[in-house]
Amino acid sequence: MTERSPYLSAVALRALVEDGTVSARELVEGALARIAELDSATTAVVAVRAEAAISEAKAADELPAEQRGALHGVPVLLKDLTETTDLPTTYGSRALKDNYAPAEAVVVTRLREAGAIVVGTTNTPETGLRPTTENLLFGATRNPWNLEHSPGGSSGGAAVALALGMVPLAQATDAAGSGRIPASCCGVVGLKPTRGRVPLAPASYELMAGMGTIAPMARSVEDTALLLDAMSGPVLGDPYAIAGSRGATFADAVSRPPSRSRIGLCMTPPHGTLSPEVREVVAAAAGAFADLGHTLTDADVDFSGLRDPVFTVCAATAAAIVDTVPHDRLGLLEGSTLALARRGWLKTAADHVAAVSTMRNESARLLRAMADYDYIVTPTLTQPPPRVDAFPSAEDLDTRWREYLDWMAFVYPVNCTGQPAISIPAGRTAAGLPVGLQIIGRIGDDAGVLALAAAFAQARPWSAQHPPEPIAVAPAR
């Protein structure tokens, strides 16, 4: 096998396969070996399909050039919330540990059609309804920069796998920051696309009243764009489908310099407090936009007004999910899931309609407030990555969720408005933990967000920064 860095991008790996330097089989075997070597310390990957993936890679190596897709031979991981028929889809729950989906998610089919090789699935909190990644089925996923800390969630397993070079691409979801939160905590890139850009099919429901989307995650902006290309496009019946979005060339967009833009820097969260250390890292990093010739000004954007309706929608979603669990398996659900579901069951249909209506009205107000800017830049999170035990399954549901929402105060409003937003690494704390910077764009301007993020990454490169190996708990500071 050709010796190569596990941190090569998907773009680079695809080129190596194309010119015959490496084979798809070598890439898949390398990914599986890396998972076997490192995952016991972090619990990022919860299932692998080694034999099937190697078989598919061998078949891919036999394909003629004209039949090879944009992701030909590239290993990819799926989040354990996304339906696939050849691996269990457990939703991180003991109640569903043997569940196999009856049909494959459209995005999974599209990844396969683009030539990607699915090697396994990544950890998530039970039903994805917590911003940290820990459950009673597989255990806690740990941040590779310091195992005492959380990678965030709910796509924490995906972010850790990327940070450790297990794979170059991972599929995530983002319903209230679930992709951007772990991207920030682990020093990788997470994009929440414009609502409707990526279909949820075959699911016919509106995930969290339109807040949720399937999302691409990678170590570079270029790879994130490549993955978005493969995922994007309308499906008949999708309530938010963007017409004509299939075949968009986001990978082309990141290869061109972005237009000179008006960028607003917002450092005031709608609630909670911003860590002075996070403020310092993001403020210093944001100076890159002015250096690149953009107009950067302080922006006083009021993100408030969405906290209460978002909590209502989360509780209603938990109740709806728990209602689908077989009655004889309800006792296997975690206490935090049941507590949130009970809150949802106490809500009436009128309460839910009122919450969604408030979300829509507040989103319209927020979009108007952003109209003076092409992009808004914020910290991704208000605090550095928390310790694994920072959010225990406390009896006080309201306290726990208030802490959650204070931490993720900059990310969940964008799920309400439907705008595209990306988290990219901005730097690290004194303790060496990653800090993310968020770029928010106008609805539909995913290409612009990616192009601006790519320019930032060139001005403030982080590609050479990886978690230390062997993985170990960093000393207290």
Side-chain angles (χ1 to χ4, degrees), residues 119-421:
V119 296
T121 54
T122 59
N123 205 15
T124 179
E126 187 170 64
T127 71
L129 284 171
R130 291 178 66 182
T132 58
T133 301
E134 50 213 73
N135 57 58
L136 294 180
L137 177 59
F138 300 114
T141 299
R142 294 178 178 272
N143 195 314
W145 293 91
N146 183 331
L147 296 181
E148 292 183 347
H149 288 258
S150 172
S154 62
S155 305
V160 171
L162 290 167
L164 287 174
M166 295 179 184
V167 291
L169 302 174
Q171 173 263 328
T173 64
D174 195 314
S178 286
R180 288 161 291 152
I181 292 168
S184 176
C185 290
C186 295
V188 298
V189 180
L191 172 75
K192 187 205 82 69
T194 293
R195 179 183 290 142
R197 177 75 67 193
V198 180
L200 293 169
S204 58
Y205 55 85
E206 294 189 30
L207 180 59
M208 287 182 62
M211 290 175 65
T213 183
I214 292 172
M217 189 181 285
R219 286 188 297 272
S220 73
V221 178
E222 290 78 10
D223 279 1
T224 304
L226 188 68
L227 189 52
L228 182 62
D229 275 336
M231 290 178 167
S232 296
V235 170
L236 188 65
D238 189 329
Y240 298 111
I242 300 174
S245 61
R246 184 71 170 133
T249 54
F250 297 108
D252 290 338
V254 300
S255 67
R256 299 187 297 269
S259 302
R260 297 289 178 88
S261 302
R262 299 167 299 167
I263 300 175
L265 176 62
C266 179
M267 304 289 273
T268 305
H271 46 77
T273 58
L274 179 61
S275 157
E277 191 169 25
V278 170
R279 178 187 295 275
E280 181 180 354
V281 169
V282 172
F289 296 111
D291 296 341
L292 290 167
H294 302 289
T295 302
L296 180 69
T297 57
D298 291 335
D300 186 18
V301 179
D302 181 6
F303 287 92
S304 64
L306 290 163
R307 179 176 187 158
D308 289 345
V310 163
F311 176 71
T312 295
V313 167
C314 288
T317 299
I321 291 172
V322 170
D323 281 342
T324 68
V325 176
H327 189 267
D328 62 348
R329 301 185 73 81
L330 288 175
L332 295 173
L333 292 172
E334 297 176 22
S336 60
T337 302
L338 288 170
L340 187 60
R342 290 189 190 100
R343 182 62 60 85
W345 288 323
L346 292 173
K347 302 287 184 182
T348 66
D351 291 333
H352 187 263
V353 170
V356 174
S357 178
T358 299
M359 277 173 47
R360 299 287 184 256
N361 291 332
E362 288 298 314
S363 293
R365 178 193 61 76
L366 183 54
L367 290 168
R368 288 193 296 269
M370 293 184 181
D372 291 336
Y373 304 97
D374 299 305
Y375 303 97
I376 297 292
V377 168
T378 75
T380 306
L381 299 167
T382 62
Q383 305 292 320
R387 294 179 62 89
V388 169
D389 57 0
F391 300 118
S393 296
E395 296 296 327
D396 187 348
L397 182 73
D398 290 331
T399 296
R400 184 168 67 250
W401 272 82
R402 183 165 58 250
E403 292 172 346
Y404 286 165
L405 293 172
D406 282 351
W407 181 47
M408 48 197 271
F410 284 115
V411 292
Y412 74 80
V414 186
N415 294 88
C416 300
T417 63
Q419 294 167 270

Side-chain angles (χ1 to χ4, degrees), residues 82-83 103-113 198-203 214 230-235 246:
T82 304
E83 299 88 352
E104 186 170 80
V106 166
V107 290
V108 178
T109 302
R110 287 179 176 175
L111 292 177
R112 296 189 200 272
E113 289 173 346
V198 180
L200 293 169
I214 292 172
M231 290 178 167
S232 296
V235 170
R246 184 71 170 133

Side-chain angles (χ1 to χ4, degrees), residues 20-35:
T21 301
V22 298
S23 66
R25 178 175 178 172
E26 286 176 314
L27 296 187
V28 168
E29 288 178 339
L32 291 169
R34 186 82 173 164
I35 291 168

